[in-house]
Amino acid sequence: MDSAELKSQRRQFAIKLWPPSQNTRQMLVERITGNLTSNSIFTQKYGSLNVNEAKDHAIRIEDVAFDTANKHYEMEPDGDGSSAVQLYAKECSKLILEVLKRGPRTEEDREPASEKVNAFQETFFDISKGPRAFIEADEAEELLKPLKEPENSYTKICFSNRSFGLGAARVAEPILLSIKDQLKEVDLSDFIAGRPETEALEVMNIFSAALEGSILKSLNLSNNALGEKGVRAFGALFRSQHALEELYLMNDGISEEAARAVCDLIPSTEKLRILQFHNNMTGDEGALAISEVVKRSPLVVDFRCSSTRIGSEGGVALSESLETCTQLKKLDIRDNMFGVEAGVALGKAFSKLTDLKEVYLSYLNLEDEGAIAIINALKESAPLLEVLEMAGNDITAEAAPTIASALAVMQHLTKLNLAENELKDEGAIQIGKALDEGHLQLVEVDMSATSIRRAGARLLAQVVVQKPSFKLLNIDGNFISDEGIDEVKEMFKKCPNALGSLDENDPEGGDGDDGSGDDVDNDDELESKLKNLEVGQE
């Protein structure tokens, strides 16, 4: 089995936090009901609801929040679902407050509770629920009927998961023309699946012309295999947009030519805050075009260009363009072929980005030199970093002192992923000691497949198991002895779910020539050597 296959298998073992179980959803409904009926500063101000009315609201609040979070998760399928969980909770809180502000029904208020809750839904028209399916003219007439109602207040539409043929597109055309001035968010992701290219392009032209001139804040055209032809089919819509804040072009076949078309057709990205190009075949030349878009987007806070086949040249250009995005909070460029030179360029860019909270830099071929450049920059510019992922970058124990020194400063860290690097016990122990002091918000550490043995596993477990919010330690795929496994499990006996699977651990693996073997004497000797290590030293 080659390394690529091994990496793929290991990724499949990642624990997913989304979607929640039905029991969890039901428990949340009950909790929302309690919030709407209990005595609090909000119910004192606006009035509490009776149990029946609160339960009716709670069911619908949870359902709306779940749909919103689930759509977010579907756009980030490689994630663990933690951001979807956060959005789920945030949406519930927002909708609870809206219901409380409206207050309980009075005798004169004859509007059913279901209709009152729908007050926060009436701006969102969504036909994406249900199985993925083709849609033709007759069904489109029925499905889109609410959009034809006089004075409707829909500002957001989602046509995702339904494949529009020419007949359906012609039904939608006059409807979109009639409401385009009120639309703020348009989701046309995955809306031409399975159609012949000629028909798909004509459908895109129809939608583009119908929506031309609208003033959109968000446009999602993901999962449409656009390519250059598809991008240019949306040219009329692109050219008319001057206020876009969110643009999603994920899994769209954005090649070099398509990337140039995006750069040419969008006249202004000065207000853009979210830009996502995940899973495209952009390559180095395409990255140069995307870099121009990024340079023109100084307000971007969330940029994703992961799995886009970008190498060193494109990586350098993209890294340099990020220097203008001084408000950047989240960067995801995983699974590209940047290499050392692009890693060094990325480090220079990071020195100017002081608002970073999440960086996803796994599988970039950074090696020690690129990783050290990045870590040193983050140490100085991003002490408030919450998520750091640098898995699969050929990082060795030589870089561990630098990593440890930076981690000691990053006291807001919630998630650390250094999996699939050659850190061995020496590196793992230094990193573990860096996490020992403080780091009270730490939730997850992934040091799987890092060639660690008993000493490294034991110290990592000792450190993280004490953290009050800790949820998961992943040290699978290593060379931990059976005795070491028993010790680690004993440490986690009060919270066994916080220790990940150890099914891929190989107690007899490794070359055994680094002085950190599995026998007790070697482990204790290594740990003793590192006992007085100062995290700040380089």
Side-chain angles (χ1 to χ4, degrees), residues 80-144:
D80 62 1
S82 58
S83 60
V85 172
Q86 293 173 1
L87 181 59
Y88 184 41
K90 182 179 178 181
E91 286 295 301
C92 281
S93 298
K94 181 183 76 173
L95 299 176
I96 289 170
L97 186 57
E98 289 183 15
V99 169
L100 285 172
K101 284 182 177 180
R102 285 198 292 274
R105 284 180 290 172
T106 63
E107 292 183 6
E108 292 79 18
D109 183 6
R110 300 184 181 276
E111 183 183 14
S114 61
E115 292 183 16
K116 289 187 76 177
V117 177
N118 281 337
F120 55 71
Q121 287 180 276
E122 67 180 8
T123 60
F124 181 25
F125 180 78
D126 184 5
I127 62 170
S128 67
K129 295 181 176 64
R132 197 178 187 200
F134 282 81
I135 176 175
E136 304 302 339
D138 290 346
E139 188 180 359
E141 286 278 6
E142 187 63 30
L143 276 175
L144 304 183

Side-chain angles (χ1 to χ4, degrees), residues 41 51 103 131 135 138 222 235 257 277 307 328 338 352 417 441 462 481:
I41 57 173
V51 174
I135 176 175
D138 290 346
S222 300
E257 296 79 8
F277 285 100
S307 302
L328 193 67
F338 274 34
K352 300 181 181 180
N417 184 350
Q441 299 173 45
Q462 286 172 344
S481 67

Side-chain angles (χ1 to χ4, degrees), residues 359 374-388 390 402-416 434-435 437-442:
V359 290
I374 287 169
I375 287 292
N376 278 331
L378 289 174
K379 177 184 177 181
E380 300 300 323
S381 65
L384 301 182
L385 198 68
E386 296 173 5
V387 177
L388 175 60
M390 298 183 73
T402 301
I403 296 172
S405 177
L407 292 178
V409 175
M410 298 172 182
Q411 288 293 318
H412 293 263
L413 207 64
T414 63
K415 182 176 179 180
L416 174 66
L435 298 173
E437 292 294 325
H439 292 92
L440 301 181
Q441 299 173 45
L442 194 64

Side-chain angles (χ1 to χ4, degrees), residues 164-170 173 191-192 195-210 229-230 232-234:
F164 280 72
L166 270 178
R170 288 176 179 134
E173 182 178 17
F191 87 121
I192 51 165
R195 301 290 179 179
E197 180 181 290
T198 302
E199 181 180 23
L201 289 172
E202 192 167 347
V203 168
M204 288 187 276
N205 273 304
I206 289 172
F207 274 80
S208 175
K229 292 180 182 178
R232 295 199 180 279
F234 277 106

Side-chain angles (χ1 to χ4, degrees), residues 172-288:
E173 182 178 17
I175 297 174
L176 293 175
L177 280 167
S178 69
I179 64 170
K180 70 177 182 180
D181 290 339
Q182 68 195 49
L183 292 177
K184 300 299 179 186
E185 300 180 42
V186 170
D187 184 345
L188 299 179
S189 58
D190 193 24
F191 87 121
I192 51 165
R195 301 290 179 179
E197 180 181 290
T198 302
E199 181 180 23
L201 289 172
E202 192 167 347
V203 168
M204 288 187 276
N205 273 304
I206 289 172
F207 274 80
S208 175
L211 292 168
E212 181 181 5
S214 55
I215 304 175
L216 302 180
K217 289 185 177 180
S218 176
L219 178 61
N220 188 346
L221 299 176
S222 300
N223 302 309
N224 283 312
L226 296 177
E228 182 188 8
K229 292 180 182 178
V231 169
R232 295 199 180 279
F234 277 106
L237 175 58
F238 280 140
R239 277 189 287 264
S240 68
Q241 298 306 304
H242 295 270
L244 269 182
E245 295 179 11
E246 301 178 14
L247 178 60
Y248 304 90
L249 294 170
M250 298 183 288
N251 193 29
D252 270 334
I254 301 295
S255 60
E256 171 191 337
E257 296 79 8
R260 285 205 196 100
V262 171
C263 182
D264 294 341
L265 292 172
I266 300 180
S268 172
T269 55
E270 292 179 358
K271 296 184 178 181
L272 209 59
R273 296 180 63 78
I274 298 177
L275 180 59
Q276 302 206 349
F277 285 100
H278 168 69
N279 198 28
N280 286 297
M281 49 186 184
T282 309
D284 277 346
E285 293 300 320
L288 299 180

Side-chain angles (χ1 to χ4, degrees), residues 33 59 77 147 162 203 239 259-260 268 383 420 433 444 464 497:
T33 303
I59 291 171
L147 294 176
R162 299 297 181 94
V203 168
R239 277 189 287 264
R260 285 205 196 100
S268 172
E420 298 183 49
K433 288 183 178 293
E444 180 179 335
V464 301
N497 292 335

